[in-house]
Amino acid sequence: MRFPHDFFFGAASAAYQVEGAWNEDGKGVSNWDVFSKIPGKTFEGTNGDIAVDHYHRYKEDIRLMAEMGLESYRFSVAWTRIIPDGDGEINSQGLAFYNALIDECLHYGIVPFVTLYHWDLPQVLEEAGGWTNKRTVDAFCKYATTCFKAFGDRVKHWITFNETIVFCSLGYLDGAHPPGISHNPRLYFQATHNVFVAHARAVQEYKKLRQYGEIGITHVFSPAFPADGQLENAQAADHANQYSLAWFYDPILKGAYPDYVVGQLKERGWTPDWTAEELTVLKWAAPKNDFIGLNYYQPQRVIKNNPEEEAGPASHKVIAGAPGKVSFDRVYKTVSLEDKKYTKWGWEISPEGLLEGLRMLRGAYGDIKLYITENGLGDQDPVENGQILDADRVEYIREHLKAVKQGLREGLHIKGYYAWSAIDLLSWLNGFKKQYGFIYVDQQNNLARKKKLSFDWYKQVIANRGGEL
């Protein structure tokens, strides 16, 4: 079996992680421009001021993607390049950069798949309360509409937000991302609600323009499974899925929040400040979503947490996704299992978890259109005699593509796979220590680009439409 011809083989990136040029051509200051410079927040004090200089080297990078045969490039727009202060004047130089990037993709026949928000919020809005302030919802709608009007004649695939659970939980529960607030569930749930309303209103604006493209949202897809056959751990996994899946997927796909979570928020005084009008727009937008994007790296293996145990501070690896984390409400804990395989960063490698999760998703939401918008291996790639021999990445992506192919055999409506990432990039808190790309960036040699082993392998997969998998 080969992958269908209307299935995109792609790869992804994000503006803050690749572009650099943090203060050039009228760009405003983002929350990450500020947060990454607080001492101790990132590995070795790295930040995105230069990143991998994609802003100045995008032509070289797109040419390499074309050489690889990439069919679609998922990238994000930096809000601060378009509207530097968040909701004020539009910056024509920012529009010019993304027009040039889009045109360069199209020159090579690469389909642009654009994410509007990949965590870099204008600092002016962050200081006014960020995603807890409904001003940010209005500002996002203005920004999104500006992008639709400027780029929508050529961009026909739009993602509103990337991984709401990550930027909200790390921002308001763990204090590891902007705005650096810890242990505040009330703000966390308010922020997530405001993001969902912003998404729904952006869908509304996009549909008004009748540009005949598609729009959706990308969520983390990390389904929870009980670590063993004990009933209490099965119940813990169900609880985890309500809070990490249903709370995020239900308002988008069903237009309403899950009763299980709503009831508990009410008991604890964490119910967001929501209005009837906002809940109505969620309901209106739900059937208008054209797809959902899934960022899958690993499942969660869950046990019931013992609330009597003293929970010490979570390690950096645990905050970043490794097992061992106790849920914010102390109901469950993620664990590692001896019979599973893990990356150097402690993330489980589980193609079967992806497939089983996809089946769960179909059971909950029906035959929805899906894209795998991120999937990949973060590693320290071995370099031998100048060659980047990332065989582990080849194996990782091969096995996950096999799982996607099996999903297609089972009738799942999957329309594309976007490896994370197209090129090595700044890995947020991990700096440049952790590599993901098909294209190597030599930090010791003027950011020179080199093709990895995985580059040639993915090129072959695309050329054969995965027939050999």
Side-chain angles (χ1 to χ4, degrees):
M1 172 189 167
R2 295 177 185 270
F3 283 82
H5 283 281
D6 61 350
F7 179 98
F8 285 138
F9 282 106
S13 75
Y16 183 76
Q17 295 178 270
V18 296
E19 284 180 3
W22 77 283
N23 60 353
E24 294 185 34
D25 296 335
K27 179 185 171 295
V29 176
S30 78
N31 56 351
W32 272 94
D33 291 326
V34 174
F35 188 81
S36 63
K37 292 166 188 167
I38 299 171
K41 291 295 184 184
T42 68
F43 176 71
E44 295 183 342
T46 45
N47 61 56
D49 286 5
I50 298 173
V52 297
D53 201 28
H54 186 61
Y55 188 83
H56 297 111
R57 302 172 75 151
Y58 71 91
K59 289 192 174 185
E60 175 186 3
D61 294 338
I62 299 300
R63 186 174 69 249
L64 282 165
M65 293 179 206
E67 183 183 336
M68 187 165 54
L70 207 66
E71 296 176 334
S72 181
Y73 175 39
R74 178 188 167 220
F75 61 89
S76 77
V77 173
W79 188 339
T80 48
R81 291 200 193 281
I82 306 302
I83 305 178
D85 63 359
D87 55 7
E89 296 298 313
I90 294 168
N91 175 31
S92 60
Q93 290 173 290
L95 295 179
F97 169 70
Y98 291 109
N99 273 318
L101 177 60
I102 290 162
D103 288 346
E104 195 70 13
C105 288
L106 294 173
H107 172 73
Y108 289 102
I110 296 171
V111 174
F113 210 125
V114 174
T115 304
L116 290 168
Y117 185 82
H118 199 129
W119 307 358
D120 44 344
L121 183 69
Q123 179 65 12
V124 172
L125 296 177
E126 187 71 271
E127 291 175 3
W131 285 108
T132 66
N133 185 340
K134 296 186 181 188
R135 170 188 169 188
T136 304
V137 177
D138 295 332
F140 179 80
C141 291
K142 174 180 177 177
Y143 157 64
T145 303
T146 301
C147 290
F148 299 150
K149 290 179 177 177
F151 313 130
D153 58 329
R154 288 151 295 148
V155 174
K156 300 300 178 184
H157 308 276
W158 296 94
I159 293 165
T160 53
F161 290 92
N162 181 78
E163 297 187 341
T164 307
I165 193 173
V166 175
F167 67 83
C168 289
S169 66
L170 294 187
Y172 296 100
L173 296 176
D174 295 316
H177 281 197
I181 294 169
S182 299
H183 311 302
N184 197 320
R186 187 183 60 79
L187 290 183
Y188 166 72
F189 285 105
Q190 184 66 58
T192 59
H193 169 69
N194 288 346
V195 170
F196 302 147
V197 173
H199 162 79
R201 287 179 52 190
V203 170
Q204 211 169 33
E205 293 304 315
Y206 184 67
K207 297 300 181 180
K208 282 182 194 172
L209 293 172
R210 298 175 70 83
Q211 292 185 337
Y212 304 104
E214 60 176 3
I215 188 167
I217 193 169
T218 278
H219 282 330
V220 167
F221 188 54
S222 189
F225 302 101
D228 56 30
Q230 292 188 48
L231 176 61
E232 65 177 12
N233 294 336
Q235 292 169 338
D238 287 343
H239 181 89
N241 283 326
Q242 284 290 320
Y243 276 84
S244 63
L245 290 182
W247 179 258
F248 293 86
Y249 289 70
D250 279 18
I252 305 301
L253 297 173
K254 294 182 175 180
Y257 289 101
D259 291 338
Y260 179 89
V261 181
V262 170
Q264 294 189 358
L265 297 191
K266 188 174 181 181
E267 289 173 9
R268 295 172 178 181
W270 297 341
T271 303
D273 172 23
W274 51 35
T275 66
E277 182 183 4
E278 290 167 349
L279 297 176
T280 298
V281 79
L282 290 180
K283 180 69 74 176
W284 178 92
K288 307 294 193 299
N289 286 285
D290 297 299
F291 65 88
I292 193 109
L294 308 177
N295 288 0
Y296 177 82
Y297 292 94
Q298 62 175 339
Q300 302 177 77
R301 308 294 176 181
V302 168
I303 61 171
K304 181 179 184 293
N305 181 52
N306 180 357
E308 304 303 317
E309 288 182 13
E310 279 297 317
S315 69
H316 171 74
K317 282 179 78 170
V318 167
I319 287 174
K325 188 171 187 179
V326 176
S327 63
F328 76 95
D329 57 3
R330 301 183 62 77
V331 170
Y332 67 92
K333 181 179 181 178
T334 59
V335 295
S336 57
L337 302 177
E338 286 187 8
D339 64 337
K340 305 302 180 188
K341 185 178 178 183
Y342 295 86
T343 72
K344 292 186 181 80
W345 270 262
W347 292 25
E348 185 183 339
I349 300 172
S350 179
E352 65 276 9
L354 170 60
L355 189 55
E356 186 58 32
L358 289 169
R359 293 168 182 148
M360 284 171 50
L361 202 67
R362 178 163 60 182
Y365 302 105
D367 185 29
I368 52 174
K369 185 177 185 180
L370 303 170
Y371 291 96
I372 307 300
T373 41
E374 287 184 27
N375 175 247
L377 176 67
D379 203 358
Q380 290 175 287
D381 293 334
V383 181
E384 297 179 19
N385 300 320
Q387 301 298 307
I388 301 90
L389 304 177
D390 58 338
D392 287 346
R393 178 167 297 107
V394 169
E395 178 68 12
Y396 181 100
I397 294 176
R398 176 192 289 119
E399 294 307 308
H400 284 82
L401 278 172
K402 284 182 181 178
V404 172
K405 184 185 270 192
Q406 179 58 33
L408 290 171
R409 287 193 187 100
E410 295 178 15
L412 291 165
H413 196 189
I414 309 166
K415 302 303 288 184
Y417 174 91
Y418 290 78
W420 186 266
S421 55
I423 186 170
D424 285 347
L425 37 67
L426 178 75
S427 189
W428 302 104
L429 303 179
N430 290 298
F432 297 105
K433 184 179 180 182
K434 193 177 187 183
Q435 289 107 43
Y436 279 97
F438 294 120
I439 300 166
Y440 180 78
V441 177
D442 191 340
Q443 295 292 323
Q444 311 306 317
N445 183 26
N446 195 34
L447 306 180
R449 276 59 167 155
K450 295 181 183 178
K451 293 174 279 188
K452 299 183 187 181
L453 176 70
S454 60
F455 179 105
D456 292 318
W457 173 81
Y458 199 46
K459 178 178 182 177
Q460 208 52 44
V461 169
I462 297 168
N464 294 332
R465 302 221 59 77
E468 72 281 10
L469 296 173

